[in-house]
Amino acid sequence: MQLPFSAPRQSGALRAHLLTLALLLTACSDGTDHGNGGEPELLGAFAVSVLSSPPEMVSGGEARVGIEVPAALPLENVVVMLDGEDITGQFEARSDGHGLEGRVVGLVVGDNALEVSSSANNVTAASITLSNHPASGPIFSGPQQAPFFCATDRHLADLELGPVIDENCSVETVVSYKYLTEGGAWMDYPENGERPADIATTTTIDDREVDFIVRWERGSLNRFLYSIAMLSPAPQEDDDPDLSVWNQRLIYYFQGGVAIGHYQGGPSRSRALYTDGLAAGYAVAYSTGTKTGTHYNLELGGETAIMVKSRFVSAYGAPEYTVGVGGSGGGIQQYVYAQNHPGLIDAGVPQYSYSDMVTQTIHIGDCELIERWIDLQLREDPGGKWADWNNRSWLIGLNASNDVPNDVVSFGLTPWVPQGSSECTASWRGLSPLALNPHFGEAPGITPEQQAEVEWTHFADVINIYGRAEDGFAATTWDNVGVQYGLQALLDGNISPDEFIDLNWNIGSWKNEPDMVQEGCPFIIDLCFALTDDEPLYPNQIDPWSWRNATTATEDTPAPRKRADPGAIRAAFDSGMVQRGEAEIPFIDLRHYLEDELDMHNTIQSFVTRQRLLNHDGDASNQVIWFIDRNPDGSDYDNTMQAFAVLDEWVANIHANPDSPVGANRPAAAVDSCFDSDGELIASGETVWDGILNDRPAGSCTERFPPYSTSRIVAGAPITGDVFRCALQPLDDAIDAGLYGSWEPSAEEYAKLQAIFPDGVCDYSQPGVID
C-alpha cells in the first residue's frame, strides 16, 4: 500500500504537494464587472494540506494543517470551521508564502469536516475530511494483537514514565528537561532555572553554540511507548515549546532486534536521547513500536511511525526533512517504510541492514537443517573434511571459522564436533525456531496458560497480512521444494555426487505447525541442566538442530520438503513486507565489516538491496554503500554523523532541483566508499564494489571487504534472495541443460534424484512463484 504523506518545509517554501488535497474555491473581488460578461475576476484558489499525516490517518485528536491563500485575499478574510465551530484562532500566518498554518485540536474519533471559506462576497466554501483515530490505534494495521502485555515497571522507568493507566497500556504524557554534563551524563535540569555549572555546550550543524539542554516528551501511541527529544532553552510551558535552537530537521531512530510481539516493549534510552544527533541540533523521535526487538510486524511498525511523526509535526511543526537511522531491523524499517509510506522519511542511514525480514527466513531457515547433516557426517567420520569448519561455507554460503568459539561444543553437548563455528551457529541458531515454531516464544508477565495459547511465529505475529492456512495456523512463506542444496559445491568439486545426493535426501524441511513441539536444550537452557537417562539425548533432549521439528528420511524414502501455504507469498509481496526495490529516497547504507566475527549482519545484504533497486527500475543511484573496518579493541569508528552531513547536502540538492532524479542530485561525497578502522578513506568511486554484482575484476573495496553468500545462492538462486518458491523444471531438462556440469548421473543416482525431486528441480532462470 502506498500512502501519501506530508511534505517537509524547505528552503523558505512549504512543499505540500506530496499530500496536498487542493480545495478550489471560487473567489471574487468586490463584485466589479471587468468586462467579462458580468463575471467577477477570480482571485485564485485555496490549497489545503494536512502536514502531519495523510488526512485519512490522523490520530490522537490533533493535526497540523496548512492553507495556501490566494495572493490578493487578505489573511484576515479567511475563516476556518471544524464541524461548524470557528477555529480560525488556531491558525497563524505562515512565515513563508501567503497562507495560514495551525495545530487543529479536539478532533473526535471518526470523520471531522474542516471547512475553509472567506468573508469576501461570492466565495464558495470547500472542505476536507480529517479521519481521526484513537491514540491507542489502530489506523490500518487491522485487529490488534491479543494477548498484549504492558511494559514492566523497569521498562517504564527507562523513560521515566508513570504507571500504565488503562487496558491499552496507555501512560500519561510527560515533558521534562535534561541537560548533558561535561562528563557525558544526563541530569535533570534544575526546576529553579539556575544554569548548572557542569552543563556541556554543543555546536549545531548551523554553527550555533548552545547549552546542551533537551526538552524530552514521552508517552504512549498505538499501545507502544514513544519519545520526542530536541535541544531547547531552559524549561518553558509544556504546550508552548521553544524551538529557537532546533535545526529544523528530524531524526527518526528505528531500533533492531527480533521478537514475535505480544509486548509493549522495552525502550532504549540511548536511542531516545541520541546524543550525537541532539548535539547537532536534530530533533529525535523514537518508539518501542518501531523496534523490531518488540515485534516484526512491519505494517504495524509503519503505522506506529506515522503516528509518532504525526504527533511531532502536530506539536512542533513540519521539519525541513526527516532522516531515518538505525541498525539491523532498524535498517530494514527504513528500506521497507520508504517503499510503503513515501514521505514518512526523506533520507536514511540504514546500518548493518537487510532488505527486509521475511526474506531472511528463506536461507536462515536452512541453517539448522544443513548444520545437522554436517554434524552427523562428523559423527560417522570425525576426521573427515567437515572437521574443518571453513568448509561449511560450501553449503551454507555464510562464513565459517575454526577460531570462533561454539557454545554448544564448549558445553560438551556435541562432543564429536570440533571447536569452531559458522555464522549459522554463532549468530542465527534459534532464529528458525523463533520464526517458525508456534511453541517457541515468550513475553514478560505472561502466564503458562497464555503462553500455551499464543502461536509464537513471525507469521502469526503478522496474521492480519498472511491469514490462516487450512490447518488453522498462520499461513507461511517458507518453501524448499526443488532446492538443490550444495549445487555449487558439487560443481566446484568440493562435495562428491554421493554427498550431494545424501545431503538432499536427508535435509528434509520443517514440519507443519500442528506437528511441531517445544524446543529442547540448548534453546531452553534450563533443560540442559535437567538431562536424564530416561530417553535418548539426541534429539529428544539435546537438539541444537531442532531435529524433532524437522522431517526425516528413511533408507527408502527421502525426507519430505515443505511447500509454502497458498496466498502467503503473494501477501508478503503485496503488503510490502518484501522490499521490492521501490524506495526512492537517498540512502547511505553503512556497516562495519563483521565477517571475521561471524556476525549475523553479513556484508552481502547491502548488495542484495542494491540488486533489488536495480531490478525494480534499473537505477540504484539513490543508494550509497560505505563499509568500515573494525578496531580489534572494539573502539569502532562511527561515521554516522558524516553520513548525516552528506545526506543534508543531498536533500538540499533535491529541494533545489525537485524535477531531477534522486541520484542526479548526489553531492560529490555521496559515493560508494570503504574506510579503515580509524575512519580514513581507503577508496571511493563507482567501481570500488566491482565483482559482486557484475563480472568485472574485484574493486578495491571488494578486495578489502569480500562478501560471502547464502545457502540458496550456492544452490543456484539469485543474489536478491527473494525467491521463496522456485519455478520447477523436470530433472531431465536440468541434466540436458548441463546443470550438473560434467557429472552424468547413473541409473541408480538418477532414481534417487527423481525420488528427492519428484516435481522437478529449481529453475532459477525463471522468476520465483508468487501465487
Side-chain angles (χ1 to χ4, degrees):
M1 180 189 308
Q2 290 200 350
L3 307 172
F5 207 73
S6 60
R9 183 186 293 117
Q10 52 165 12
S11 305
L14 184 63
R15 296 183 66 228
H17 62 274
L18 291 178
L19 175 65
T20 299
L21 176 61
L23 304 176
L24 300 180
L25 302 178
T26 303
C28 69
S29 60
D30 57 4
T32 302
D33 185 349
H34 295 282
N36 56 356
E39 292 295 325
E41 181 180 351
L42 296 179
L43 293 181
F46 287 115
V48 179
S49 54
V50 181
L51 308 178
S52 49
S53 73
E56 69 275 15
M57 296 182 189
V58 173
S59 61
E62 61 181 355
R64 183 166 292 273
V65 174
I67 304 170
E68 293 183 15
V69 178
L73 182 68
L75 295 181
E76 58 267 23
N77 286 348
V78 179
V79 177
V80 186
M81 306 289 288
L82 179 67
D83 289 330
E85 179 183 353
D86 190 336
I87 61 166
T88 309
Q90 296 181 21
F91 286 78
E92 296 180 351
R94 285 191 356 221
S95 60
D96 56 335
H98 185 64
L100 298 171
E101 182 176 317
R103 178 188 177 197
V104 178
V105 298
L107 299 173
V108 299
V109 172
D111 290 344
N112 299 259
L114 187 144
E115 182 180 84
V116 182
S117 61
S118 172
S119 58
N121 294 331
N122 302 321
V123 176
T124 302
S127 65
I128 183 173
T129 299
L130 306 179
S131 297
N132 177 49
H133 304 264
S136 58
I139 297 178
F140 55 79
S141 64
Q144 293 180 318
Q145 191 175 63
F148 188 82
F149 298 91
C150 303
T152 63
D153 290 343
R154 177 176 65 85
H155 284 155
L156 291 170
D158 289 339
L159 294 185
E160 300 179 16
L161 286 164
V164 169
I165 58 176
D166 63 25
E167 68 279 1
N168 290 314
C169 299
S170 304
V171 297
E172 295 288 354
T173 302
V174 176
V175 175
S176 62
Y177 287 80
K178 296 284 186 180
Y179 76 93
L180 193 71
T181 69
E182 293 173 333
W186 288 107
M187 302 292 290
D188 291 325
Y189 197 86
E191 292 185 5
N192 61 14
E194 183 176 345
R195 185 180 186 274
D198 62 346
I199 193 171
T201 60
T202 185
T203 302
T204 65
I205 61 171
D206 43 7
D207 293 324
R208 287 184 291 171
E209 184 175 358
V210 298
D211 286 341
F212 209 135
I213 307 170
V214 169
R215 184 187 195 275
W216 192 22
E217 174 187 327
R218 293 90 73 203
S220 56
L221 287 170
N222 214 18
R223 303 202 298 180
F224 300 105
L225 306 176
Y226 81 93
S227 164
I228 293 172
M230 63 166 57
L231 288 178
S232 182
Q236 322 95 38
E237 294 294 328
D238 287 354
D239 292 334
D240 188 23
D242 187 334
L243 309 179
S244 61
V245 295
W246 175 35
N247 70 12
Q248 300 297 311
R249 299 155 177 86
L250 173 64
I251 290 172
Y252 199 116
Y253 208 122
F254 299 99
Q255 192 175 356
V258 182
I260 309 297
H262 296 279
Y263 183 54
Q264 189 173 26
S268 167
R269 186 182 174 103
S270 65
R271 292 170 175 85
L273 295 174
Y274 177 42
T275 306
D276 288 348
L278 291 169
Y282 292 86
V284 178
Y286 170 83
S287 170
T288 59
T290 49
K291 170 186 176 182
T292 55
T294 301
H295 64 84
Y296 241 119
N297 181 341
L298 299 186
E299 185 170 58
L300 176 61
E303 176 183 77
T304 303
I306 288 172
M307 294 178 73
V308 172
K309 185 173 180 182
S310 179
R311 167 60 191 167
F312 178 86
V313 175
S314 296
Y316 300 92
E320 289 185 2
Y321 65 84
T322 302
V323 56
V325 70
S328 191
I332 286 175
Q333 291 181 81
Q334 293 172 68
Y335 280 125
V336 169
Y337 301 159
Q339 168 183 270
N340 295 350
H341 310 295
L344 175 62
I345 59 174
D346 304 292
V349 185
Q351 304 159 321
Y352 314 107
S353 69
Y354 311 90
S355 297
D356 55 55
M357 179 273 179
V358 67
T359 56
Q360 294 304 303
T361 65
I362 297 173
H363 61 275
I364 296 307
D366 296 334
C367 271
E368 279 89 356
L369 304 176
I370 296 174
E371 293 285 352
R372 183 193 76 219
W373 183 84
I374 295 174
D375 285 349
L376 294 183
Q377 299 303 299
L378 275 170
R379 200 173 188 184
E380 297 298 321
D381 182 14
K385 61 188 172 187
W386 300 114
D388 183 349
W389 276 84
N390 294 286
N391 295 341
R392 298 193 183 212
S393 293
W394 299 338
L395 305 184
I396 64 172
L398 307 166
N399 196 13
S401 169
N402 296 313
D403 301 322
V404 176
N406 185 322
D407 289 344
V408 168
V409 175
S410 298
F411 293 156
L413 300 181
T414 52
W416 68 90
V417 177
Q419 189 56 262
S421 198
S422 68
E423 189 184 316
C424 277
T425 59
S427 291
W428 293 101
R429 179 181 279 138
L431 268 294
S432 294
L434 188 62
L436 301 171
N437 186 344
H439 306 287
F440 188 59
E442 60 182 357
I446 195 168
T447 67
E449 293 75 19
Q450 291 167 325
Q451 173 79 27
E453 292 173 1
V454 172
E455 183 181 344
W456 295 100
T457 68
H458 160 69
F459 301 95
D461 189 21
V462 199
I463 191 69
N464 293 341
I465 288 176
Y466 294 113
R468 296 205 174 274
E470 291 182 359
D471 59 15
F473 288 79
T476 72
T477 59
W478 207 82
D479 189 301
N480 70 342
V481 172
V483 175
Q484 299 188 91
Y485 292 98
L487 179 60
Q488 190 61 51
L490 172 69
L491 294 173
D492 293 340
N494 291 322
I495 61 174
S496 67
D498 284 347
E499 289 174 302
F500 174 75
I501 291 174
D502 189 70
L503 168 64
N504 283 283
W505 184 279
N506 286 287
I507 194 166
S509 186
W510 299 109
K511 293 178 179 178
N512 290 328
E513 290 85 345
D515 300 323
M516 284 187 163
V517 297
Q518 181 59 282
E519 300 297 325
C521 167
F523 300 116
I524 300 177
I525 195 65
D526 288 348
L527 298 179
C528 298
F529 302 100
L531 303 178
T532 70
D533 296 327
D534 295 340
E535 54 183 332
L537 291 178
Y538 309 101
N540 295 36
Q541 298 182 74
I542 300 175
D543 189 7
W545 317 280
S546 298
W547 196 355
R548 293 174 300 166
N549 289 313
T551 61
T552 56
T554 67
E555 184 176 346
D556 300 320
T557 307
R561 300 293 183 92
K562 182 177 176 65
R563 174 70 76 195
D565 289 311
I569 298 173
R570 169 64 67 184
F573 277 92
D574 288 351
S575 65
M577 296 304 98
V578 175
Q579 214 297 325
R580 303 179 299 260
E582 298 177 18
E584 303 293 344
I585 65 173
F587 293 105
I588 296 182
D589 191 292
L590 184 67
R591 69 177 71 232
H592 291 97
Y593 187 72
L594 306 175
E595 294 288 3
D596 295 339
E597 303 165 43
L598 308 183
D599 189 275
M600 70 194 321
H601 303 102
N602 51 79
T603 57
I604 196 69
Q605 298 303 323
S606 295
F607 303 97
V608 168
T609 302
R610 173 160 293 183
Q611 189 61 57
R612 292 192 194 182
L613 293 169
L614 289 169
N615 288 356
H616 170 60
D617 61 5
D619 181 18
S621 59
N622 63 314
Q623 185 211 38
V624 171
I625 296 175
W626 287 0
F627 281 12
I628 317 164
D629 209 354
R630 295 204 75 174
N631 275 313
D633 63 1
S635 58
D636 294 325
Y637 182 81
D638 182 1
N639 59 358
T640 301
M641 296 310 297
Q642 179 182 346
F644 280 164
V646 173
L647 287 172
D648 190 62
E649 186 178 355
W650 197 344
V651 173
N653 291 346
I654 293 171
H655 289 173
N657 304 284
D659 295 329
S660 297
V662 172
N665 283 300
R666 290 194 336 192
V671 63
D672 288 345
S673 305
C674 54
F675 304 83
D676 67 17
S677 59
D678 295 322
E680 296 296 323
L681 182 67
I682 297 172
S684 64
E686 299 299 322
T687 63
V688 295
W689 296 117
D690 274 358
I692 299 175
L693 298 180
N694 56 43
D695 295 327
R696 300 174 190 146
S700 49
C701 292
T702 306
E703 288 183 335
R704 180 69 177 264
F705 302 113
Y708 286 79
S709 184
T710 72
S711 58
R712 295 297 172 103
I713 293 174
V714 297
I719 194 173
T720 49
D722 53 359
V723 177
F724 294 93
R725 176 183 174 186
C726 67
L728 298 174
Q729 59 181 321
L731 180 60
D732 288 340
D733 289 356
I735 295 172
D736 291 343
L739 197 64
Y740 304 106
S742 60
W743 175 46
E744 294 185 7
S746 66
E748 181 181 358
E749 291 169 334
Y750 180 86
K752 288 186 176 180
L753 289 173
Q754 281 282 26
I756 298 168
F757 304 111
D759 299 319
V761 298
C762 286
D763 180 3
Y764 286 115
S765 68
Q766 302 297 318
V769 178
I770 294 178
D771 294 312

